[in-house]
Amino acid sequence: YPNPFNSASIIKYSIPKSSQITLKIFNTLGEEIQTLVNEEKPVGTYEVNWNAENIPSGVYFYQIKAGDFTQTRKMILLR
């Protein structure tokens, strides 16, 4: 949130059971740009702020993995 965003975006997610969480940002070529979360998290709702100030405009994807669950979403960075 928001999408498209200017220089920072907030990624919100909820975890129904305690598990290892990985949240990564990728470019359109599938190259990993940044790892935002890589740790064990208890049940709850979380927010991660991605500061893309030094990243060029374009389309990016964030991927969250929690146990067997994987989800990928598109983000658009506009300057």
Side-chain angles (χ1 to χ4, degrees):
Y1 173 82
N3 195 14
F5 68 101
N6 189 351
S7 62
S9 182
I10 297 171
I11 301 169
K12 298 179 183 179
Y13 61 95
S14 295
I15 303 169
K17 65 179 182 177
S18 182
S19 57
Q20 176 69 27
I21 305 299
T22 306
L23 177 58
K24 296 182 178 187
I25 307 293
F26 296 91
N27 64 16
T28 55
L29 299 176
E31 299 168 329
E32 184 180 323
I33 302 297
Q34 190 173 3
T35 298
L36 301 177
V37 178
N38 187 16
E39 61 186 87
E40 184 80 19
K41 293 272 192 184
V43 174
T45 301
Y46 299 91
E47 289 185 2
V48 176
N49 187 22
W50 181 42
N51 183 350
E53 194 170 292
N54 298 321
I55 308 288
S57 295
V59 176
Y60 294 89
F61 298 91
Y62 72 85
Q63 182 179 72
I64 186 165
K65 291 184 180 182
D68 295 335
F69 175 81
T70 301
Q71 183 177 52
T72 304
R73 296 270 173 110
K74 180 170 68 170
M75 299 184 297
I76 300 170
L77 174 58
L78 293 177
R79 300 246 186 241

